[in-house]
């Protein structure tokens, strides 16, 4: 049986494609099950993502549904390979929520991320001390060793920005997050200086939504939009206190539109550097 962490967003996306393909071909779960040597209940679990499909099963799906388009076959084969592909995060499953594993996988697949952060600095731009402070504040009962694992995880995720083919990161930070005193003056000075440095990276864009912008396009808080290569669609992520909500299709498009509206109201380039430098100087 597959391990529990294999049944993730990857498996759900693949299962959704298989179900849509089967239904379009007017085949029943039993019809496909006979070709897979599986019962209808097992086929249903594959299509729901509870039981990730393997490459031979996907190829059988394609054959029984009469799909001969090479691009379509390659896309679904890629998705099936990704379901079982091991990543550096595999050993974290016992200690990290499945929704965070999904988030990490989206980052690993994304070519670009648009991120609006309302109350904290984005995780991909946090210093170690700042990250430790906000993680501890979110869960004061967290054991020290677990805290250090979470901080190490966040630092490892940041390597995605400096790889040979780096992700493009665009962030809009609410001014309040920059003024919030996290961990004391020394921690905040280091964090603001780090943001000023990162703003100079060619693949990183940092913007600030100033208080003077007034009411804005995301009054309910932070979100991220991930853009990925084929065969994956754009996806949006919204963090909540009970986990992460992942959306695609029109809902992901809606988040992207909100981001563009926030972008029009945000400070950029030199104005951002001046704000960060001024805030840092006030902490001297």
């Amino acid at each position: 049986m597959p391990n529990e962490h294999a049944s993730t967003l990857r498996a759900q996306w693949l299962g959704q494609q298989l179900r849509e393909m089967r239904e379009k071909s007017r085949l029943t779960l039993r019809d496909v099950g006979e070709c897979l040597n599986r019962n209808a209940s097992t086929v249903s679990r594959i299509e729901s993502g509870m039981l990730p499909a393997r490459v031979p099963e996907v190829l059988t799906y394609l054959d029984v549904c009469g799909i001969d388009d090479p691009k379509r076959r390659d896309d679904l084969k890629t998705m099936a390979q990704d379901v079982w592909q091991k990543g550096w995060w595999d050993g974290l499953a016992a200690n990290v929520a499945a929704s965070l594993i999904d988030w990490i996988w989206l980052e690993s697949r994304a070519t670009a991320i648009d991120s609006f952060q309302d109350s904290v600095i984005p995780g991909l731009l946090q210093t170690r001390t700042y990250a430790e402070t906000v993680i501890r504040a979110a869960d004061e009962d967290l054991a020290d060793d677990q805290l250090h694992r979470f901080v190490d995880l966040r630092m490892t995720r940041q390597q995605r920005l400096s790889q040979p083919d780096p992700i493009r990161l665009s962030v809009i930070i609410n001014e309040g997050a920059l003024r919030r005193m996290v961990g004391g003056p020394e921690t905040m000075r280091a964090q603001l200086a780090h943001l000023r440095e990162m703003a100079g990276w060619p693949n990183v864009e940092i913007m600030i939504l100033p208080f003077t912008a007034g009411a804005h396009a995301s009054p309910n808080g932070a979100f991220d939009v991930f853009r990925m290569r084929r065969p994956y669609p754009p996806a949006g992520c919204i963090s909540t206190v009970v986990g992460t909500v992942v959306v695609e299709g029109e809902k992901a498009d809606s988040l992207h539109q909100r981001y563009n509206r926030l972008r029009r109201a945000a400070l950029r380039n030199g104005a951002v550097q001046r704000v960060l430098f001024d805030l840092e100087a006030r902490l001297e």
Side-chain angles (χ1 to χ4, degrees):
M1 292 293 291
N3 59 32
E4 182 178 349
H5 116 240
S7 298
T8 58
L9 181 62
R10 292 165 279 172
Q12 293 170 26
W13 272 347
L14 176 58
Q16 176 184 325
Q17 295 297 312
L18 296 176
R19 183 182 68 253
E20 292 175 356
M21 184 168 60
R22 174 183 60 78
E23 292 176 346
K24 187 174 181 179
S25 299
R26 299 184 181 280
L27 296 172
T28 66
L29 292 170
R30 183 174 179 180
D31 292 334
V32 173
E34 289 176 352
C35 296
L36 294 176
N37 292 320
R38 303 269 202 169
N39 59 39
S41 175
T42 300
V43 176
S44 178
R45 291 175 64 209
I46 289 174
E47 292 184 359
S48 69
M50 295 175 61
L51 180 63
R54 296 183 181 273
V55 172
E57 292 170 327
V58 170
L59 294 177
T60 298
Y61 251 96
L62 288 162
D63 291 340
V64 74
C65 292
I67 306 298
D68 54 13
D69 176 17
K71 183 182 294 186
R72 177 68 166 156
R73 294 180 70 91
D74 286 346
D75 283 352
L76 286 178
K77 184 178 179 181
T78 296
M79 294 181 81
Q81 291 169 335
D82 273 3
V83 167
W84 296 97
Q85 182 72 40
K86 288 186 177 295
W88 61 264
W89 56 85
D90 266 21
L92 301 171
N95 301 309
V96 178
S99 60
L100 181 53
I101 293 294
D102 282 339
W103 193 296
I104 295 170
W105 179 77
L106 285 170
E107 284 181 349
S108 76
R109 264 289 180 178
T111 58
I113 300 176
D114 292 332
S115 176
F116 170 61
Q117 294 300 319
D118 189 51
S119 59
V120 296
I121 307 302
L124 291 178
L125 299 177
Q126 291 177 5
T127 64
R128 176 175 287 275
T129 304
Y130 184 98
E132 181 175 329
T133 304
V134 296
I135 292 172
R136 169 64 74 195
D139 187 353
E140 60 182 12
D141 296 324
L142 200 63
D144 288 344
D145 60 341
Q146 185 77 341
L147 171 66
H148 295 151
R149 280 196 291 270
F150 282 145
V151 174
D152 287 343
L153 169 60
R154 190 160 296 182
M155 298 300 104
T156 300
R157 288 166 53 203
Q158 293 180 3
Q159 295 175 11
R160 192 69 180 85
L161 294 171
S162 56
Q163 292 173 345
D165 183 21
I167 198 170
R168 188 199 67 76
L169 178 65
S170 175
V171 302
I172 301 172
I173 307 172
N174 197 340
E175 183 178 347
L178 299 172
R179 293 183 178 276
R180 186 178 299 278
M181 187 64 66
V182 173
E186 184 176 349
T187 296
M188 283 306 301
R189 276 199 305 270
Q191 178 62 73
L192 292 168
H194 182 63
L195 286 177
R196 287 197 295 111
E197 177 187 352
M198 295 301 296
W201 285 32
N203 58 311
V204 177
E205 178 184 37
I206 297 176
M207 294 169 280
I208 297 173
L209 185 68
F211 288 146
T212 55
H216 58 79
S218 188
N220 294 323
F223 63 86
D224 292 76
V225 181
F226 297 83
R227 279 174 278 175
M228 295 173 283
R229 296 187 179 94
R230 285 184 46 237
Y232 298 102
C237 287
I238 304 168
S239 294
T240 75
V241 294
V242 293
T244 302
V245 177
V246 180
V247 298
E248 55 181 301
E250 293 182 357
K251 292 182 178 179
D253 291 340
S254 174
L255 289 179
H256 183 64
Q257 292 168 11
R258 285 179 183 271
Y259 189 82
N260 285 336
R261 289 164 57 195
L262 289 165
R263 184 188 185 92
R264 290 196 292 269
L267 303 177
R268 307 186 203 178
N269 304 322
V272 169
Q273 290 285 1
R274 286 192 295 273
V275 169
L276 293 174
F277 184 82
D278 181 61
L279 291 173
E280 185 182 346
R282 294 184 184 187
L283 294 172
E284 294 293 343

